[in-house]
PDB file of all heavy atoms in Angstrom:
ATOM      1  N   LEU C  25     -12.424 -12.536 -13.648  1.00 98.00           N
ATOM      2  CA  LEU C  25     -11.612 -11.342 -13.998  1.00 98.00           C
ATOM      3  C   LEU C  25     -10.312 -11.466 -13.228  1.00 98.00           C
ATOM      4  O   LEU C  25     -10.215 -12.146 -12.170  1.00 98.00           O
ATOM      5  CB  LEU C  25     -12.275  -9.973 -13.587  1.00 98.00           C
ATOM      6  CG  LEU C  25     -13.673  -9.751 -14.320  1.00 98.00           C
ATOM      7  CD1 LEU C  25     -14.297  -8.505 -13.853  1.00 98.00           C
ATOM      8  CD2 LEU C  25     -13.549  -9.871 -15.821  1.00 98.00           C
ATOM      9  N   SER C  26      -9.196 -10.842 -13.747  1.00 97.00           N
ATOM     10  CA  SER C  26      -7.929 -11.025 -13.158  1.00 97.00           C
ATOM     11  C   SER C  26      -7.227  -9.771 -12.779  1.00 97.00           C
ATOM     12  O   SER C  26      -7.538  -8.689 -13.405  1.00 97.00           O
ATOM     13  CB  SER C  26      -7.027 -11.808 -14.129  1.00 97.00           C
ATOM     14  OG  SER C  26      -6.864 -11.131 -15.272  1.00 97.00           O
ATOM     15  N   TYR C  27      -6.267  -9.902 -11.821  1.00 97.00           N
ATOM     16  CA  TYR C  27      -5.538  -8.715 -11.420  1.00 97.00           C
ATOM     17  C   TYR C  27      -4.313  -9.329 -10.621  1.00 97.00           C
ATOM     18  O   TYR C  27      -4.309 -10.403 -10.225  1.00 97.00           O
ATOM     19  CB  TYR C  27      -6.346  -7.836 -10.454  1.00 97.00           C
ATOM     20  CG  TYR C  27      -5.646  -6.694  -9.671  1.00 97.00           C
ATOM     21  CD1 TYR C  27      -4.888  -5.771 -10.528  1.00 97.00           C
ATOM     22  CD2 TYR C  27      -5.712  -6.481  -8.331  1.00 97.00           C
ATOM     23  CE1 TYR C  27      -4.272  -4.711  -9.891  1.00 97.00           C
ATOM     24  CE2 TYR C  27      -5.050  -5.432  -7.784  1.00 97.00           C
ATOM     25  CZ  TYR C  27      -4.352  -4.592  -8.535  1.00 97.00           C
ATOM     26  OH  TYR C  27      -3.681  -3.486  -7.949  1.00 97.00           O
ATOM     27  N   VAL C  28      -3.278  -8.497 -10.441  1.00 97.00           N
ATOM     28  CA  VAL C  28      -2.018  -8.991  -9.956  1.00 97.00           C
ATOM     29  C   VAL C  28      -2.154  -9.563  -8.441  1.00 97.00           C
ATOM     30  O   VAL C  28      -1.214 -10.315  -8.038  1.00 97.00           O
ATOM     31  CB  VAL C  28      -0.852  -8.048 -10.052  1.00 97.00           C
ATOM     32  CG1 VAL C  28      -0.603  -7.605 -11.464  1.00 97.00           C
ATOM     33  CG2 VAL C  28      -1.274  -6.740  -9.145  1.00 97.00           C
ATOM     34  N   LEU C  29      -3.150  -9.212  -7.808  1.00 97.00           N
ATOM     35  CA  LEU C  29      -3.344  -9.730  -6.360  1.00 97.00           C
ATOM     36  C   LEU C  29      -4.084 -11.086  -6.270  1.00 97.00           C
ATOM     37  O   LEU C  29      -4.237 -11.499  -5.192  1.00 97.00           O
ATOM     38  CB  LEU C  29      -4.057  -8.697  -5.479  1.00 97.00           C
ATOM     39  CG  LEU C  29      -3.401  -7.340  -5.274  1.00 97.00           C
ATOM     40  CD1 LEU C  29      -4.205  -6.505  -4.301  1.00 97.00           C
ATOM     41  CD2 LEU C  29      -1.954  -7.533  -4.622  1.00 97.00           C
ATOM     42  N   ASP C  30      -4.439 -11.643  -7.451  1.00 98.00           N
ATOM     43  CA  ASP C  30      -5.277 -12.801  -7.373  1.00 98.00           C
ATOM     44  C   ASP C  30      -4.593 -14.009  -6.593  1.00 98.00           C
ATOM     45  O   ASP C  30      -5.308 -14.788  -5.920  1.00 98.00           O
ATOM     46  CB  ASP C  30      -5.647 -13.310  -8.796  1.00 98.00           C
ATOM     47  CG  ASP C  30      -6.729 -12.463  -9.401  1.00 98.00           C
ATOM     48  OD1 ASP C  30      -7.272 -11.615  -8.735  1.00 98.00           O
ATOM     49  OD2 ASP C  30      -6.998 -12.664 -10.687  1.00 98.00           O
ATOM     50  N   HIS C  31      -3.277 -14.067  -6.748  1.00 97.00           N
ATOM     51  CA  HIS C  31      -2.572 -15.228  -6.031  1.00 97.00           C
ATOM     52  C   HIS C  31      -2.564 -15.081  -4.553  1.00 97.00           C
ATOM     53  O   HIS C  31      -2.408 -16.038  -3.809  1.00 97.00           O
ATOM     54  CB  HIS C  31      -1.154 -15.293  -6.532  1.00 97.00           C
ATOM     55  CG  HIS C  31      -0.288 -14.098  -6.054  1.00 97.00           C
ATOM     56  ND1 HIS C  31      -0.395 -12.945  -6.665  1.00 97.00           N
ATOM     57  CD2 HIS C  31       0.637 -13.975  -5.164  1.00 97.00           C
ATOM     58  CE1 HIS C  31       0.449 -12.066  -6.048  1.00 97.00           C
ATOM     59  NE2 HIS C  31       1.095 -12.739  -5.090  1.00 97.00           N
ATOM     60  N   GLU C  32      -2.971 -13.923  -4.050  1.00 97.00           N
ATOM     61  CA  GLU C  32      -3.065 -13.721  -2.548  1.00 97.00           C
ATOM     62  C   GLU C  32      -4.485 -13.999  -1.980  1.00 97.00           C
ATOM     63  O   GLU C  32      -4.626 -14.063  -0.808  1.00 97.00           O
ATOM     64  CB  GLU C  32      -2.610 -12.268  -2.128  1.00 97.00           C
ATOM     65  CG  GLU C  32      -1.130 -12.011  -2.594  1.00 97.00           C
ATOM     66  CD  GLU C  32      -0.850 -10.496  -2.286  1.00 97.00           C
ATOM     67  OE1 GLU C  32      -1.710  -9.841  -1.889  1.00 97.00           O
ATOM     68  OE2 GLU C  32       0.332 -10.161  -2.583  1.00 97.00           O
ATOM     69  N   LEU C  33      -5.527 -14.130  -2.833  1.00 98.00           N
ATOM     70  CA  LEU C  33      -6.829 -14.042  -2.354  1.00 98.00           C
ATOM     71  C   LEU C  33      -7.182 -15.231  -1.494  1.00 98.00           C
ATOM     72  O   LEU C  33      -7.852 -15.124  -0.439  1.00 98.00           O
ATOM     73  CB  LEU C  33      -7.864 -13.957  -3.546  1.00 98.00           C
ATOM     74  CG  LEU C  33      -7.665 -12.612  -4.356  1.00 98.00           C
ATOM     75  CD1 LEU C  33      -8.680 -12.712  -5.522  1.00 98.00           C
ATOM     76  CD2 LEU C  33      -7.959 -11.411  -3.596  1.00 98.00           C
TER      77      LEU C  33
END
Side-chain angles (χ1 to χ4, degrees):
L25 299 180
S26 63
Y27 176 52
V28 295
L29 293 181
D30 283 356
H31 67 286
E32 298 175 356
L33 298 180

